[in-house]
Amino acid sequence: AQKVTQAQTEISVVEKEDVTLDCVYETRDTTYYLFWYKQPPSGELVFLIRRNSFDEQNEISGRYSWNFQKSTSSFNFTITASQVVDSAVYFCALSETQGGSEKLVFGKGTKLTVNP
Amino acid sequence: GAGVSQSPSNKVTEKGKDVELRCDPISGHTALYWYRQSLGQGLEFLIYFQGNSAPDKSGLPSDRFSAERTGGSVSTLTIQRTQQEDSAVYLCASSLIFGTQYFGPGTRLLVL
């Protein structure tokens, strides 16, 4: 069965610190997608990134970067020079492309607090 | 363009009553999903609609839960005889086939 583990329940940092959110997944499928979503205090889930299982290139978008390592089944998310507005709950998720449904399996989330 | 919309934003009901939650997906998105977010269980998949295919109902927690999607667009999630454990945020998402899921703001349901 698919499983996503976000071992860090809560992280607290001071503004301008770098922070890495860990995500480890389990799947028996060879084709799958990995995602990160942000849920700010307003509650809406905001899409950040989607990565195909065949594409292990790291990705950088502004202060955000993602490190996908298939060998360790990890898809970690780093925020560089964190800001107060980055405070949110971050969810890692996994979907499979076989079996019909594209349902997402989410980790429990990591609550990030960035203090001024 | 407009995102996924859900109504109502909040719903308070009494135990035993039926409730209906509505989702309007992004125009042109063929896939629609319902998830539930609760403190104890995190984010859980409920049901998936894709075009005219039979829905994937594998996540529905009991037969009190049902959903339909009319005309391939708007969807309604119905909970019959609500229980206190049904209290949660119900999230709807839509996507193109095999595409990224975009979420609505959710309906916060409180069963008293």
PDB file of all heavy atoms in Angstrom, chain B residues 3 5 9 13 17 21 24 29 34 50 54 71 76-78 80 85 91 93-96 100 103 110 112:
ATOM      1  N   GLY B   3     -11.177  29.443  -9.791  1.00  0.00           N
ATOM      2  CA  GLY B   3     -10.711  28.193  -9.213  1.00  0.00           C
ATOM      3  C   GLY B   3     -11.874  27.317  -8.816  1.00  0.00           C
ATOM      4  O   GLY B   3     -13.027  27.565  -9.181  1.00  0.00           O
ATOM      5  N   SER B   5     -14.692  26.101  -6.501  1.00  0.00           N
ATOM      6  CA  SER B   5     -15.485  26.748  -5.460  1.00  0.00           C
ATOM      7  C   SER B   5     -16.325  25.707  -4.723  1.00  0.00           C
ATOM      8  O   SER B   5     -16.732  24.692  -5.314  1.00  0.00           O
ATOM      9  CB  SER B   5     -16.384  27.845  -6.030  1.00  0.00           C
ATOM     10  OG  SER B   5     -17.285  27.312  -6.968  1.00  0.00           O
ATOM     11  N   SER B   9     -19.463  27.521   3.017  1.00  0.00           N
ATOM     12  CA  SER B   9     -18.127  27.576   3.624  1.00  0.00           C
ATOM     13  C   SER B   9     -18.130  26.868   4.965  1.00  0.00           C
ATOM     14  O   SER B   9     -17.163  26.199   5.328  1.00  0.00           O
ATOM     15  CB  SER B   9     -17.703  29.030   3.832  1.00  0.00           C
ATOM     16  OG  SER B   9     -17.714  29.729   2.633  1.00  0.00           O
ATOM     17  N   THR B  13     -24.728  21.465  11.916  1.00  0.00           N
ATOM     18  CA  THR B  13     -25.943  20.659  11.859  1.00  0.00           C
ATOM     19  C   THR B  13     -26.069  19.843  13.128  1.00  0.00           C
ATOM     20  O   THR B  13     -25.119  19.718  13.910  1.00  0.00           O
ATOM     21  CB  THR B  13     -25.929  19.740  10.626  1.00  0.00           C
ATOM     22  OG1 THR B  13     -27.215  19.141  10.459  1.00  0.00           O
ATOM     23  CG2 THR B  13     -24.895  18.631  10.777  1.00  0.00           C
ATOM     24  N   LYS B  17     -29.142  14.649  11.255  1.00  0.00           N
ATOM     25  CA  LYS B  17     -29.646  15.355  10.075  1.00  0.00           C
ATOM     26  C   LYS B  17     -28.792  15.008   8.862  1.00  0.00           C
ATOM     27  O   LYS B  17     -27.646  14.601   8.968  1.00  0.00           O
ATOM     28  CB  LYS B  17     -29.602  16.870  10.313  1.00  0.00           C
ATOM     29  CG  LYS B  17     -30.476  17.365  11.439  1.00  0.00           C
ATOM     30  CD  LYS B  17     -31.905  17.479  11.002  1.00  0.00           C
ATOM     31  CE  LYS B  17     -32.797  17.892  12.144  1.00  0.00           C
ATOM     32  NZ  LYS B  17     -33.134  19.268  12.171  1.00  0.00           N
ATOM     33  N   LEU B  21     -23.114  18.975   0.496  1.00  0.00           N
ATOM     34  CA  LEU B  21     -21.999  19.873   0.239  1.00  0.00           C
ATOM     35  C   LEU B  21     -21.783  19.944  -1.269  1.00  0.00           C
ATOM     36  O   LEU B  21     -21.835  18.919  -1.956  1.00  0.00           O
ATOM     37  CB  LEU B  21     -20.723  19.360   0.928  1.00  0.00           C
ATOM     38  CG  LEU B  21     -20.871  18.936   2.398  1.00  0.00           C
ATOM     39  CD1 LEU B  21     -19.537  18.438   2.932  1.00  0.00           C
ATOM     40  CD2 LEU B  21     -21.407  20.063   3.249  1.00  0.00           C
ATOM     41  N   ASP B  24     -17.984  23.138  -7.245  1.00  0.00           N
ATOM     42  CA  ASP B  24     -17.930  23.556  -8.646  1.00  0.00           C
ATOM     43  C   ASP B  24     -16.467  23.483  -9.101  1.00  0.00           C
ATOM     44  O   ASP B  24     -15.645  24.270  -8.632  1.00  0.00           O
ATOM     45  CB  ASP B  24     -18.421  24.995  -8.806  1.00  0.00           C
ATOM     46  CG  ASP B  24     -19.918  25.086  -8.841  1.00  0.00           C
ATOM     47  OD1 ASP B  24     -20.477  24.914  -9.934  1.00  0.00           O
ATOM     48  OD2 ASP B  24     -20.515  25.310  -7.774  1.00  0.00           O
ATOM     49  N   HIS B  29     -12.087  20.898 -16.387  1.00  0.00           N
ATOM     50  CA  HIS B  29     -11.469  19.776 -15.672  1.00  0.00           C
ATOM     51  C   HIS B  29     -12.413  18.585 -15.670  1.00  0.00           C
ATOM     52  O   HIS B  29     -13.565  18.695 -15.250  1.00  0.00           O
ATOM     53  CB  HIS B  29     -11.138  20.182 -14.236  1.00  0.00           C
ATOM     54  CG  HIS B  29      -9.879  20.972 -14.134  1.00  0.00           C
ATOM     55  ND1 HIS B  29      -9.290  21.271 -12.922  1.00  0.00           N
ATOM     56  CD2 HIS B  29      -9.072  21.499 -15.087  1.00  0.00           C
ATOM     57  CE1 HIS B  29      -8.182  21.958 -13.129  1.00  0.00           C
ATOM     58  NE2 HIS B  29      -8.028  22.121 -14.440  1.00  0.00           N
ATOM     59  N   TRP B  34     -13.156  14.281  -3.935  1.00  0.00           N
ATOM     60  CA  TRP B  34     -13.529  14.739  -2.598  1.00  0.00           C
ATOM     61  C   TRP B  34     -12.544  14.136  -1.589  1.00  0.00           C
ATOM     62  O   TRP B  34     -12.218  12.935  -1.665  1.00  0.00           O
ATOM     63  CB  TRP B  34     -14.943  14.311  -2.226  1.00  0.00           C
ATOM     64  CG  TRP B  34     -16.035  15.097  -2.872  1.00  0.00           C
ATOM     65  CD1 TRP B  34     -16.735  14.773  -4.006  1.00  0.00           C
ATOM     66  CD2 TRP B  34     -16.583  16.333  -2.414  1.00  0.00           C
ATOM     67  NE1 TRP B  34     -17.671  15.737  -4.283  1.00  0.00           N
ATOM     68  CE2 TRP B  34     -17.614  16.705  -3.317  1.00  0.00           C
ATOM     69  CE3 TRP B  34     -16.330  17.172  -1.333  1.00  0.00           C
ATOM     70  CZ2 TRP B  34     -18.367  17.869  -3.172  1.00  0.00           C
ATOM     71  CZ3 TRP B  34     -17.080  18.321  -1.183  1.00  0.00           C
ATOM     72  CH2 TRP B  34     -18.081  18.664  -2.097  1.00  0.00           C
ATOM     73  N   GLN B  50     -14.298  10.671 -12.913  1.00  0.00           N
ATOM     74  CA  GLN B  50     -13.549  10.980 -14.133  1.00  0.00           C
ATOM     75  C   GLN B  50     -14.474  10.786 -15.322  1.00  0.00           C
ATOM     76  O   GLN B  50     -14.828   9.655 -15.664  1.00  0.00           O
ATOM     77  CB  GLN B  50     -12.316  10.095 -14.263  1.00  0.00           C
ATOM     78  CG  GLN B  50     -11.589  10.193 -15.605  1.00  0.00           C
ATOM     79  CD  GLN B  50     -11.181  11.610 -15.970  1.00  0.00           C
ATOM     80  OE1 GLN B  50     -10.598  12.335 -15.178  1.00  0.00           O
ATOM     81  NE2 GLN B  50     -11.493  12.014 -17.187  1.00  0.00           N
ATOM     82  N   ALA B  54     -17.279   5.012 -14.182  1.00  0.00           N
ATOM     83  CA  ALA B  54     -17.827   4.754 -12.848  1.00  0.00           C
ATOM     84  C   ALA B  54     -16.912   5.384 -11.807  1.00  0.00           C
ATOM     85  O   ALA B  54     -15.684   5.292 -11.903  1.00  0.00           O
ATOM     86  CB  ALA B  54     -17.930   3.246 -12.611  1.00  0.00           C
ATOM     87  N   GLY B  71     -23.870  16.103 -15.058  1.00  0.00           N
ATOM     88  CA  GLY B  71     -23.423  16.745 -16.291  1.00  0.00           C
ATOM     89  C   GLY B  71     -21.929  16.885 -16.397  1.00  0.00           C
ATOM     90  O   GLY B  71     -21.431  17.734 -17.147  1.00  0.00           O
ATOM     91  N   THR B  76     -22.068  16.959  -5.785  1.00  0.00           N
ATOM     92  CA  THR B  76     -22.659  17.102  -4.460  1.00  0.00           C
ATOM     93  C   THR B  76     -22.274  15.900  -3.617  1.00  0.00           C
ATOM     94  O   THR B  76     -22.440  14.756  -4.051  1.00  0.00           O
ATOM     95  CB  THR B  76     -24.200  17.178  -4.543  1.00  0.00           C
ATOM     96  OG1 THR B  76     -24.569  18.286  -5.380  1.00  0.00           O
ATOM     97  CG2 THR B  76     -24.803  17.374  -3.160  1.00  0.00           C
ATOM     98  N   LEU B  77     -21.745  16.177  -2.434  1.00  0.00           N
ATOM     99  CA  LEU B  77     -21.448  15.130  -1.461  1.00  0.00           C
ATOM    100  C   LEU B  77     -22.548  15.167  -0.415  1.00  0.00           C
ATOM    101  O   LEU B  77     -22.808  16.224   0.184  1.00  0.00           O
ATOM    102  CB  LEU B  77     -20.086  15.372  -0.816  1.00  0.00           C
ATOM    103  CG  LEU B  77     -19.658  14.408   0.299  1.00  0.00           C
ATOM    104  CD1 LEU B  77     -19.378  13.016  -0.279  1.00  0.00           C
ATOM    105  CD2 LEU B  77     -18.415  14.922   1.018  1.00  0.00           C
ATOM    106  N   THR B  78     -23.200  14.048  -0.196  1.00  0.00           N
ATOM    107  CA  THR B  78     -24.297  13.970   0.764  1.00  0.00           C
ATOM    108  C   THR B  78     -23.910  13.061   1.921  1.00  0.00           C
ATOM    109  O   THR B  78     -23.386  11.961   1.702  1.00  0.00           O
ATOM    110  CB  THR B  78     -25.568  13.427   0.098  1.00  0.00           C
ATOM    111  OG1 THR B  78     -25.940  14.290  -0.995  1.00  0.00           O
ATOM    112  CG2 THR B  78     -26.724  13.367   1.093  1.00  0.00           C
ATOM    113  N   GLN B  80     -25.744  11.368   5.117  1.00  0.00           N
ATOM    114  CA  GLN B  80     -27.039  11.108   5.750  1.00  0.00           C
ATOM    115  C   GLN B  80     -26.832  10.781   7.231  1.00  0.00           C
ATOM    116  O   GLN B  80     -25.807  10.215   7.626  1.00  0.00           O
ATOM    117  CB  GLN B  80     -27.726   9.933   5.060  1.00  0.00           C
ATOM    118  CG  GLN B  80     -28.099  10.219   3.610  1.00  0.00           C
ATOM    119  CD  GLN B  80     -28.754   9.017   2.941  1.00  0.00           C
ATOM    120  OE1 GLN B  80     -28.234   7.909   2.992  1.00  0.00           O
ATOM    121  NE2 GLN B  80     -29.898   9.239   2.320  1.00  0.00           N
ATOM    122  N   GLU B  85     -18.583  12.268  14.568  1.00  0.00           N
ATOM    123  CA  GLU B  85     -17.284  11.958  13.957  1.00  0.00           C
ATOM    124  C   GLU B  85     -17.195  12.401  12.498  1.00  0.00           C
ATOM    125  O   GLU B  85     -16.118  12.335  11.898  1.00  0.00           O
ATOM    126  CB  GLU B  85     -16.972  10.468  14.058  1.00  0.00           C
ATOM    127  CG  GLU B  85     -17.943   9.557  13.342  1.00  0.00           C
ATOM    128  CD  GLU B  85     -18.975   8.958  14.285  1.00  0.00           C
ATOM    129  OE1 GLU B  85     -19.296   9.608  15.316  1.00  0.00           O
ATOM    130  OE2 GLU B  85     -19.461   7.855  13.981  1.00  0.00           O
ATOM    131  N   LEU B  91     -12.944  18.787   1.465  1.00  0.00           N
ATOM    132  CA  LEU B  91     -12.238  19.480   0.391  1.00  0.00           C
ATOM    133  C   LEU B  91     -12.553  18.842  -0.949  1.00  0.00           C
ATOM    134  O   LEU B  91     -12.592  17.614  -1.080  1.00  0.00           O
ATOM    135  CB  LEU B  91     -10.730  19.418   0.629  1.00  0.00           C
ATOM    136  CG  LEU B  91     -10.213  20.187   1.848  1.00  0.00           C
ATOM    137  CD1 LEU B  91      -8.810  19.736   2.207  1.00  0.00           C
ATOM    138  CD2 LEU B  91     -10.225  21.675   1.578  1.00  0.00           C
ATOM    139  N   ALA B  93     -11.391  18.844  -5.082  1.00  0.00           N
ATOM    140  CA  ALA B  93     -10.307  19.189  -6.000  1.00  0.00           C
ATOM    141  C   ALA B  93     -10.714  18.782  -7.405  1.00  0.00           C
ATOM    142  O   ALA B  93     -11.533  17.873  -7.587  1.00  0.00           O
ATOM    143  CB  ALA B  93      -9.017  18.475  -5.600  1.00  0.00           C
ATOM    144  N   SER B  94     -10.143  19.458  -8.381  1.00  0.00           N
ATOM    145  CA  SER B  94     -10.394  19.051  -9.758  1.00  0.00           C
ATOM    146  C   SER B  94      -9.086  19.079 -10.537  1.00  0.00           C
ATOM    147  O   SER B  94      -8.116  19.731 -10.126  1.00  0.00           O
ATOM    148  CB  SER B  94     -11.443  19.952 -10.429  1.00  0.00           C
ATOM    149  OG  SER B  94     -10.937  21.246 -10.699  1.00  0.00           O
ATOM    150  N   SER B  95      -9.085  18.353 -11.639  1.00  0.00           N
ATOM    151  CA  SER B  95      -7.884  18.303 -12.467  1.00  0.00           C
ATOM    152  C   SER B  95      -8.247  17.901 -13.888  1.00  0.00           C
ATOM    153  O   SER B  95      -9.337  17.368 -14.146  1.00  0.00           O
ATOM    154  CB  SER B  95      -6.874  17.291 -11.892  1.00  0.00           C
ATOM    155  OG  SER B  95      -7.288  15.962 -12.155  1.00  0.00           O
ATOM    156  N   LEU B  96      -7.314  18.133 -14.801  1.00  0.00           N
ATOM    157  CA  LEU B  96      -7.390  17.498 -16.102  1.00  0.00           C
ATOM    158  C   LEU B  96      -7.000  16.040 -15.895  1.00  0.00           C
ATOM    159  O   LEU B  96      -6.427  15.688 -14.856  1.00  0.00           O
ATOM    160  CB  LEU B  96      -6.408  18.171 -17.076  1.00  0.00           C
ATOM    161  CG  LEU B  96      -6.706  19.647 -17.377  1.00  0.00           C
ATOM    162  CD1 LEU B  96      -5.553  20.260 -18.158  1.00  0.00           C
ATOM    163  CD2 LEU B  96      -8.006  19.790 -18.135  1.00  0.00           C
ATOM    164  N   THR B 100      -2.514  17.818 -12.364  1.00  0.00           N
ATOM    165  CA  THR B 100      -2.391  18.301 -10.991  1.00  0.00           C
ATOM    166  C   THR B 100      -3.763  18.624 -10.423  1.00  0.00           C
ATOM    167  O   THR B 100      -4.604  19.224 -11.101  1.00  0.00           O
ATOM    168  CB  THR B 100      -1.507  19.545 -10.960  1.00  0.00           C
ATOM    169  OG1 THR B 100      -0.195  19.181 -11.378  1.00  0.00           O
ATOM    170  CG2 THR B 100      -1.445  20.159  -9.569  1.00  0.00           C
ATOM    171  N   PHE B 103      -7.273  22.517  -5.383  1.00  0.00           N
ATOM    172  CA  PHE B 103      -8.261  22.383  -4.323  1.00  0.00           C
ATOM    173  C   PHE B 103      -9.100  23.639  -4.133  1.00  0.00           C
ATOM    174  O   PHE B 103      -8.640  24.764  -4.350  1.00  0.00           O
ATOM    175  CB  PHE B 103      -7.559  22.058  -2.994  1.00  0.00           C
ATOM    176  CG  PHE B 103      -7.086  20.637  -2.912  1.00  0.00           C
ATOM    177  CD1 PHE B 103      -5.913  20.239  -3.522  1.00  0.00           C
ATOM    178  CD2 PHE B 103      -7.835  19.686  -2.233  1.00  0.00           C
ATOM    179  CE1 PHE B 103      -5.480  18.925  -3.459  1.00  0.00           C
ATOM    180  CE2 PHE B 103      -7.416  18.365  -2.156  1.00  0.00           C
ATOM    181  CZ  PHE B 103      -6.235  17.988  -2.770  1.00  0.00           C
ATOM    182  N   LEU B 110     -19.591  20.995  11.116  1.00  0.00           N
ATOM    183  CA  LEU B 110     -19.626  20.731  12.554  1.00  0.00           C
ATOM    184  C   LEU B 110     -20.947  20.057  12.882  1.00  0.00           C
ATOM    185  O   LEU B 110     -22.011  20.615  12.600  1.00  0.00           O
ATOM    186  CB  LEU B 110     -19.477  22.015  13.343  1.00  0.00           C
ATOM    187  CG  LEU B 110     -19.541  21.870  14.874  1.00  0.00           C
ATOM    188  CD1 LEU B 110     -18.429  20.962  15.391  1.00  0.00           C
ATOM    189  CD2 LEU B 110     -19.480  23.247  15.563  1.00  0.00           C
ATOM    190  N   LEU B 112     -23.272  18.768  15.800  1.00  0.00           N
ATOM    191  CA  LEU B 112     -23.464  18.932  17.250  1.00  0.00           C
ATOM    192  C   LEU B 112     -24.215  17.752  17.863  1.00  0.00           C
ATOM    193  O   LEU B 112     -24.989  17.072  17.172  1.00  0.00           O
ATOM    194  CB  LEU B 112     -24.229  20.226  17.523  1.00  0.00           C
ATOM    195  CG  LEU B 112     -23.542  21.509  17.027  1.00  0.00           C
ATOM    196  CD1 LEU B 112     -24.444  22.708  17.267  1.00  0.00           C
ATOM    197  CD2 LEU B 112     -22.200  21.697  17.713  1.00  0.00           C
TER     198      LEU B 112
END
